[in-house]
Amino acid sequence: MIAEDFILKNYNSNVESGSVKWESPSNIALVKYWGKKENQIPENPSISFTLSNCKTITKLTYTKKESKGFSFDVYFEGEQNEAFKPKILTFFERIEEYVTFLRDYHFKIETSNTFPHSSGIASSASGMSALALCLMSVEIDLGADYTSEYFNKKASFLARLGSGSACRSIEGELVVWGQNESTESSDLYGIKFDGEVHSNFKNYQDAILLVDKGEKQVSSTVGHKLMFGHPFAEQRFAQAHDNLAKLKTILATGDLQNFVKIVESEALTLHAMMMTSMPYFILMKPNTLEIINKIWKYRAENNSNVCFTLDAGANVHVLYPENEKESVLKFINDELAEHCQNGHFITDFIGKGAKLIEK
Ligand code: DP6
């Protein structure tokens, strides 16, 4: 499909008001998206596990209005919030050519997260996907007749224009985004991974260790830009294609040892890109390294398949198969929690995607 296929052509402009509510999860990339072109097109393909517990719940109430500009209010956890408005305005500007009723209604956006606000967990993937899904439900209210496949594709297409990684949060359990040779894919939206997945990866677990709950040191917008003219950019983008191809086989065969290698290497490569860009950043904290070293030691000593991945920050995602749940949780409690701010971590697992809550 091409971008033009996502333009809402006709809708019933007599609808006065209504409301919809969605919950949408966060996701954790195994092969990382880092670097983008114009219009939120990724430089390389990525694949992620959709999560279950870490999610955003958004209610969108729309009311017909006369004036022609964008009009919306944002409430975060019950309180009016001005800080989110610029990002949502940019989102509206990017999607208005596809969501053609945007200027006809006033929107009340009420949103909350299941994870603590200042946890350092990026809420852009769950937040933008939840809002995109709400807008898709408004399209249905205004008379659009979509197959569920088209609905999900357009929701993902819109979410991508809010935040790239958000396009991987509509469905589960594994989602690919970005053209590549190994899987069915698109640069415009995420697609449920079409390959075989071995039972070793069923219910895969993710404990998010909150090492640094502060504001992000580098916003992802700035981060992606660092890949322009980066000395290792081309090799990195080629490596992501390669890693996705390898992961496809690993997922089919249940090869946990090689899964660990690809996933950890991807995380460290992402950070290596930031350390070798200009300007350069070190986003890991001493506690991030303590945790990584302890994971390596534990894995070697216990014949375990626990591994880590990182996003563009200091927090550590600890990934492990369901059959190691008890032992790894004990390890986290006994040895890793002390490296988290206030001992705080969140346990999550692979999920099936977003849900409509209310219409
Ligand atoms: C490091 O999706 O937050 O988490 O498109 O600018 O909103 P924007 O970027 P964003 O980038 C996240 C990148 C990452 C890796 C990943 O999720 O693939």
Side-chain angles (χ1 to χ4, degrees):
M1 288 179 83
I2 56 169
E4 283 67 35
D5 295 332
F6 294 114
I7 299 172
L8 174 66
K9 298 265 165 46
N10 303 305
Y11 58 94
N12 176 1
S13 53
N14 295 325
V15 177
E16 282 298 323
S17 63
S19 75
V20 295
K21 191 172 181 179
W22 276 87
E23 60 168 55
S24 188
S26 185
N27 66 74
I28 180 68
L30 306 172
V31 172
K32 306 287 178 182
Y33 150 54
W34 199 241
K36 61 178 164 184
K37 305 174 195 162
E38 282 280 284
N39 300 324
Q40 297 282 102
I41 299 300
E43 288 276 16
N44 66 259
S46 57
I47 183 169
S48 50
F49 275 150
T50 305
L51 295 180
S52 293
N53 295 335
C54 291
K55 57 195 176 194
T56 297
I57 297 135
T58 298
K59 179 175 181 182
L60 184 68
T61 308
Y62 56 98
T63 324
K64 193 83 176 280
K65 68 175 180 58
E66 290 304 325
S67 60
K68 271 295 165 205
F70 293 127
S71 171
F72 61 93
D73 292 316
V74 187
Y75 291 79
F76 180 65
E77 281 162 5
E79 309 250 328
Q80 197 145 7
N81 184 299
E82 295 301 314
F84 289 161
K85 282 185 123 178
K87 212 168 175 202
I88 293 174
L89 182 62
T90 305
F91 177 50
F92 276 16
E93 285 163 355
R94 286 185 190 157
I95 64 170
E96 71 162 316
E97 83 182 88
Y98 307 101
V99 184
T100 38
F101 57 82
L102 269 189
R103 288 174 187 267
D104 300 345
Y105 291 91
H106 172 78
F107 297 99
K108 181 177 181 190
I109 303 165
E110 292 168 277
T111 187
S112 60
N113 297 329
T114 55
F115 44 89
H117 180 46
S118 55
S119 59
I121 296 187
S123 58
S124 68
S126 53
M128 284 299 172
S129 53
L131 185 53
L133 284 157
C134 285
L135 289 168
M136 287 305 295
S137 285
V138 179
E139 292 199 1
I140 302 288
D141 284 0
L142 303 192
D145 183 16
Y146 294 149
T147 62
S148 65
E149 191 189 342
Y150 180 91
F151 185 97
N152 283 343
K153 275 188 183 161
K154 183 167 177 183
S156 175
F157 172 88
L158 296 177
R160 182 195 100 245
L161 292 169
S163 178
S165 56
C167 79
R168 299 188 312 239
S169 277
I170 308 296
E171 293 181 89
E173 303 180 326
L174 282 147
V175 178
V176 178
W177 169 43
Q179 258 167 29
N180 71 86
E181 301 275 292
S182 334
T183 70
E184 193 198 337
S185 60
S186 166
D187 279 344
L188 299 178
Y189 44 83
I191 297 182
K192 209 174 144 72
F193 174 62
D194 67 345
E196 204 184 318
V197 181
H198 190 278
S199 61
N200 282 352
F201 297 103
K202 282 273 162 299
N203 246 338
Y204 223 72
Q205 306 286 307
D206 178 9
I208 306 157
L209 308 192
L210 305 177
V211 170
D212 184 9
K213 302 189 194 176
E215 276 286 301
K216 273 197 189 174
Q217 198 184 321
V218 186
S219 76
S220 46
T221 314
V222 171
H224 288 290
K225 283 198 185 126
L226 296 173
M227 290 307 280
F228 278 118
H230 191 293
F232 307 136
E234 290 315 313
Q235 289 97 316
R236 160 58 198 154
F237 301 146
Q239 180 200 40
H241 283 266
D242 225 43
N243 280 345
L244 181 57
K246 287 184 180 140
L247 206 53
K248 185 178 172 170
T249 309
I250 289 167
L251 289 168
T253 55
D255 180 354
L256 290 168
Q257 269 126 39
N258 280 311
F259 176 82
V260 164
K261 285 185 190 158
I262 299 275
V263 168
E264 291 190 346
S265 165
E266 274 288 321
L268 294 178
T269 301
L270 169 70
H271 282 251
M273 289 300 111
M274 281 177 277
M275 285 193 247
T276 50
S277 57
M278 192 57 78
Y280 40 79
F281 297 94
I282 300 180
L283 301 184
M284 292 187 214
K285 299 279 184 213
N287 277 324
T288 313
L289 290 173
E290 293 286 347
I291 291 168
I292 291 175
N293 282 314
K294 283 189 175 175
I295 289 174
W296 285 346
K297 185 161 179 278
Y298 177 90
R299 192 162 69 222
E301 288 173 356
N302 295 278
N303 199 14
S304 160
N305 289 302
V306 65
C307 72
F308 71 85
T309 186
L310 309 165
D311 273 342
N315 294 335
V316 183
H317 287 250
V318 183
L319 299 176
Y320 47 102
E322 193 183 25
N323 67 7
E324 289 195 47
K325 192 168 162 180
E326 216 176 302
S327 48
V328 172
L329 272 179
K330 183 172 177 347
F331 162 57
I332 292 172
N333 272 307
D334 291 352
E335 294 194 46
L336 303 184
E338 67 192 71
H339 301 292
C340 302
Q341 273 193 7
N342 308 322
H344 197 170
F345 64 91
I346 296 170
T347 52
D348 209 338
F349 56 96
I350 194 166
K352 299 212 180 295
K355 274 196 229 115
L356 178 65
I357 304 182
E358 204 175 282
K359 242 189 85 61

